Amino acid sequence: MAVDKMKNEPRIDADEVLGGIVEWVSIESPSHDAGAVNKVVDHVEGQFRDLGLKLERIPGRDGFGDILECKTPPGWSAADGDGKGILVLAHLDTVHPIGMIERELKVRREGDSIFGPGIYDMKAGGYIAYYALRHLVRQGKKPRLPITFLFIPEEEVGSPTSRARIEAAAKGHKYALVMEPGRDGDKVVTSRKGVGRFVMTVKGRASHAGVRHEDGRSAILEMARQILRIEGKTDYARGITCNVGLISGGSGVNVVPAECKAEIDLRVPSQQLAEEMTHWFLGLEAIGPDVAVTVEGGMNRPPYQKDPGIADLFGKAQAIYREIGKELNDVPLTGGGSDGNFTAALGIPTLDGLGADGKGAHAANEQIYYSSLVPRTYLCARLLETLE
């Protein structure tokens, strides 16, 4: 069936969807700017209030924005008494600093591509979820299950203040739909690697780099040796990647450095490997003499593995996509983490990557494809309508 001949009326209007996405994108919201994030929260809160949903806004903490929870009220679904329904997850923060919208990422359209800060990751997906529910309301249709929308303010930095709320909400739901970006055409996400974050600190001994070099113990030299050891644990065949992404140390070019710190990113496909690699990191010891090495950290997001429940949910999504003559596929395993890692690890059937297709996440060419807006909105609307 052609997309423009779908049975649902009123039809999904791609220009209307795009207009709403651009409104969200035009409010820049970097993760660490609580005030900026809360401006988007204000906007989204007003839209869901107008739909008649029950709202709860949880004040932000630790310098992050507010969490917004929007629930369909009693009488909206056939299974209100059951309590367990659909959890829709989206985040309103982006990685882009304030001002990107005036420079590298001006909102603009070039052919099928629309550019903007956070448009792909993931304001398009968040708005699509809102529009999908509004589309059902316009049709006079009701979902079969209660729906909770949870908008997260700091997903891009690991959801440190939201994780507990996400997990508590997930335990009360039968399904989780995550509106992260779509992938490579008509693809969604059914598994993700787990994400670990570690901080290594090396302490040596300072000395004059020219007069008493031999008295010093270079923390940077020790860190260099440790970096080679850590990066050497990357094993593509096993799906393990280790990345030393940030380093700081030293006090002057003429001083043997007494301290050095490194921040490390770990990605693993299974819980077994998560435990194995965490044990390895926390057990690291010094390589050179007279230096001290300490490692702190652990898994930030557990692995999200495709199980029978997820496979069944994906099959339902495939059937819906075929209603518009399109075939939905899934990404075998993606290295990026999301809040879907939390819900899937709890055994909640989780379907991720339901947002708009595009490319350039976190980059200066971030964009969505106009051609994906109607199919993705249709898929989301029908999932909300038919899951039971």
Side-chain angles (χ1 to χ4, degrees):
M1 184 189 301
V3 171
D4 61 356
K5 294 182 180 178
M6 293 184 299
K7 293 177 182 178
N8 288 353
E9 290 293 339
R11 67 187 178 88
I12 296 168
D13 186 321
D15 289 333
E16 188 178 33
V17 176
L18 179 59
I21 292 170
V22 168
E23 284 184 355
W24 287 27
V25 170
S26 297
I27 309 170
E28 293 181 285
S29 52
S31 306
H32 290 285
D33 189 330
V37 171
N38 282 345
K39 288 180 182 178
V40 190
V41 177
D42 292 341
H43 183 73
V44 176
E45 183 179 25
Q47 290 182 307
F48 276 93
R49 180 180 291 110
D50 290 345
L51 278 184
L53 272 69
K54 296 171 59 180
L55 306 179
E56 182 180 1
R57 185 160 170 168
I58 300 93
R61 56 184 175 86
D62 301 337
F64 296 110
D66 300 346
I67 301 169
L68 179 64
E69 185 175 274
C70 314
K71 290 186 175 184
T72 53
W76 271 51
S77 67
D80 281 328
D82 177 64
K84 290 194 173 184
I86 303 167
L87 176 65
V88 181
L89 286 173
H91 67 84
L92 297 174
D93 63 316
T94 79
V95 301
H96 301 287
I98 296 289
M100 282 287 282
I101 202 168
E102 301 295 335
R103 301 190 303 270
E104 300 96 324
L105 268 173
K106 291 182 178 178
V107 176
R108 65 194 188 279
R109 181 171 178 180
E110 297 176 6
D112 194 39
S113 294
I114 302 96
F115 297 80
I119 195 167
Y120 178 55
D121 186 11
M122 63 164 287
K123 288 182 176 176
Y127 183 80
I128 281 172
Y130 159 75
Y131 187 101
L133 181 66
R134 194 179 73 174
H135 182 61
L136 296 181
V137 172
R138 283 175 167 178
Q139 296 172 295
K141 293 185 175 181
K142 292 184 177 180
R144 298 176 186 177
L145 294 175
I147 304 171
T148 300
F149 295 80
L150 199 57
F151 290 94
I152 304 305
E154 26 64 294
E155 187 275 345
E156 292 292 3
V157 294
S159 306
T161 66
S162 301
R163 178 175 180 173
R165 185 76 180 201
I166 293 165
E167 292 176 333
K171 291 174 183 176
H173 290 80
K174 295 180 69 172
Y175 304 100
L177 305 179
V178 187
M179 303 306 299
E180 290 280 355
R183 304 297 177 89
D184 307 321
D186 298 308
K187 292 182 180 178
V188 292
V189 175
T190 54
S191 59
R192 291 182 181 271
K193 289 184 179 180
V195 182
R197 293 288 165 82
F198 299 88
V199 177
M200 172 176 279
T201 303
V202 177
K203 292 190 176 180
R205 185 166 67 228
S207 69
H208 192 292
V211 178
R212 301 296 299 182
H213 187 278
E214 67 275 17
D215 290 346
R217 296 293 182 267
S218 172
I220 290 179
L221 174 59
E222 173 67 19
M223 185 64 79
R225 292 168 172 158
Q226 294 287 348
I227 288 170
L228 291 175
R229 170 193 269 177
I230 292 165
E231 295 275 357
K233 289 294 284 187
T234 290
D235 186 336
Y236 296 127
R238 299 178 74 198
I240 301 169
T241 58
C242 297
N243 184 69
V244 180
L246 291 171
I247 304 174
S248 61
S251 58
V253 70
N254 61 344
V255 181
V256 174
E259 187 165 335
C260 187
K261 180 178 291 186
E263 297 183 39
I264 305 144
D265 178 282
L266 167 70
R267 310 280 165 139
V268 290
S270 70
Q271 185 60 32
Q272 178 183 344
L273 285 173
E275 294 171 3
E276 174 188 320
M277 289 300 298
T278 297
H279 178 75
W280 183 81
F281 267 107
L282 297 180
L284 286 173
E285 297 179 346
I287 296 172
D290 304 325
V291 293
V293 173
T294 58
V295 180
E296 298 176 322
M299 294 302 296
N300 170 259
R301 298 185 188 276
Y304 161 8
Q305 295 177 285
K306 187 177 181 181
D307 59 20
I310 291 172
D312 181 67
L313 178 57
F314 174 59
K316 290 179 169 67
Q318 283 184 306
I320 289 170
Y321 225 51
R322 291 184 187 118
E323 295 173 0
I324 53 174
K326 298 174 75 68
E327 190 63 31
L328 191 68
N329 296 298
D330 61 340
V331 179
L333 179 66
T334 181
S338 85
D339 289 331
N341 288 65
F342 301 138
T343 60
L346 292 172
I348 312 300
T350 299
L351 192 59
D352 202 338
L354 288 166
D357 189 18
K359 66 179 181 180
H362 300 189
N365 69 329
E366 184 166 347
Q367 60 195 268
I368 58 169
Y369 302 142
Y370 181 83
S371 57
S372 73
L373 297 181
V374 171
R376 291 290 173 143
T377 305
Y378 181 82
L379 174 60
C380 185
R382 290 283 288 148
L383 284 167
L384 296 181
E385 178 187 357
T386 62
L387 287 178
E388 59 185 357

